[in-house]
Amino acid sequence: MRRYDAALAPHPVGHDAATRHQRASAVPVAALRGRDLTVAERSALLDCYATPDRTFLEIATTHGVDRERLQDLWFDLFLFPSIR
């Protein structure tokens, strides 16, 4: 019986850098328009969208923003957006 070698298997669809970049640039950009956000907050929110496998704490630390603020922004902008 042949052993399955994960290194030779292709990555699942949606897990390459190009796909993450495309996913991070389409939908959330519209949600961020007209919002009063710092560059770090905007960047962290896009990172949250592009890398759902990372925690809010990891992303907040990377971008130098408060985890609680990042999490509040995420829920306000993407999960429970207000009707404009």
Side-chain angles (χ1 to χ4, degrees):
M1 181 180 261
R2 226 172 164 193
R3 195 181 117 210
Y4 178 75
D5 191 354
L8 299 176
H11 293 291
V13 174
H15 287 278
D16 63 333
T19 304
R20 283 187 174 181
H21 175 73
Q22 290 168 347
R23 198 172 50 195
S25 62
V27 173
V29 171
L32 300 178
R33 280 194 188 110
R35 305 293 181 166
D36 187 25
L37 302 169
T38 66
V39 173
E41 290 170 341
R42 186 177 301 267
S43 181
L45 285 166
L46 291 173
D47 200 359
C48 288
Y49 194 84
T51 55
D53 55 323
R54 293 178 64 204
T55 65
F56 285 109
L57 181 59
E58 288 176 293
I59 294 171
T61 302
T62 300
H63 294 277
V65 298
D66 180 62
R67 188 227 22 108
E68 190 174 327
R69 167 92 172 129
L70 177 60
Q71 198 167 333
D72 287 344
L73 286 169
W74 176 260
F75 283 99
D76 291 346
L77 294 174
F78 297 108
L79 297 183
F80 305 112
S82 61
I83 299 172
R84 286 183 154 186

